[in-house]
Amino acid sequence: MRWLAPVVPVLAATAAYAWARWCFASASPPSQTVAVVGGAVLIVLAAGLYFALAAGSGAFFGALLMALGLFLTVQTAEEATARSRTVTCAVRDVQSRELESSGDGSISKTVYRFTLDCPGGYPSEITEGRQLAKKGAELRISYDPAHRVSPSVEGDSSPWGSAAGAVFLLSVATALAARRGTDDQEAFERRGTRA
């Protein structure tokens, strides 16, 4: 059954992407609670199955990398979902907050929260990792009228970065599972030649 371990990341990524697309883009999606719980259960079950099938020292790291890859797969589906409406919004306020990790050599990141005045009242704010505009300026915002995905600055929502990260992490998890199977086979063959 160890031969099945390298296939788990591919099957899990396909299932996670299909689930996320249904939740984000379907005409009749599940409720947000069902979507989140279903996605979490899928990721936990896939990681558990991978861990059980891969076994050995690489199983833990492979399962962890696969789970992270699955989160990026869901993010890819979210970023690829069409935001069919675009509106010009006035920036009423800009607040920045610096987030710091703890420990030596901590990394900090500035997050900007833009309070918006948009026709129709939505969206009322967006959060970005960079300064997009100053108070009083205008921003073109794309959004999903069904509010299933977060609004973004027009032209800013590209799934390619998340997709590349997902492919990398899932490939490493697949390689770890395939390598582990080879190590087991070599150990078995060595024991057989000693007998």
Side-chain angles (χ1 to χ4, degrees), residues 55-92:
S57 61
F60 173 76
F61 293 108
L64 180 63
L65 291 174
M66 186 187 72
L68 292 173
L70 294 177
F71 280 115
L72 284 176
T73 300
V74 170
Q75 183 173 339
T76 299
E78 190 267 342
E79 290 170 348
T81 301
R83 289 154 173 85
S84 60
R85 300 262 171 86
T86 302
V87 66
T88 301
C89 303
V91 178
R92 282 193 294 140

Side-chain angles (χ1 to χ4, degrees), residues 22-111:
W22 179 52
C23 294
F24 292 133
S26 163
S28 58
S31 69
Q32 187 173 6
T33 303
V34 171
V36 170
V37 170
V41 166
L42 188 148
I43 291 171
V44 168
L45 289 177
L49 179 63
Y50 177 97
F51 184 78
L53 292 174
S57 61
F60 173 76
F61 293 108
L64 180 63
L65 291 174
M66 186 187 72
L68 292 173
L70 294 177
F71 280 115
L72 284 176
T73 300
V74 170
Q75 183 173 339
T76 299
E78 190 267 342
E79 290 170 348
T81 301
R83 289 154 173 85
S84 60
R85 300 262 171 86
T86 302
V87 66
T88 301
C89 303
V91 178
R92 282 193 294 140
D93 191 26
V94 180
Q95 296 176 352
S96 64
R97 193 172 88 204
E98 193 165 324
L99 304 174
E100 271 190 55
S101 61
S102 59
D104 291 336
S106 64
I107 299 170
S108 66
K109 177 182 179 179
T110 304
V111 176

Side-chain angles (χ1 to χ4, degrees), residues 1-10 46-47 49-66 168-185:
M1 286 292 274
R2 294 211 195 282
W3 61 269
L4 188 59
V7 179
V8 172
V10 175
L49 179 63
Y50 177 97
F51 184 78
L53 292 174
S57 61
F60 173 76
F61 293 108
L64 180 63
L65 291 174
M66 186 187 72
F168 174 75
L169 291 173
L170 294 167
S171 297
V172 172
T174 301
L176 282 172
R179 186 185 141 277
R180 183 63 194 155
T182 304
D183 290 348
D184 287 345
Q185 186 177 6

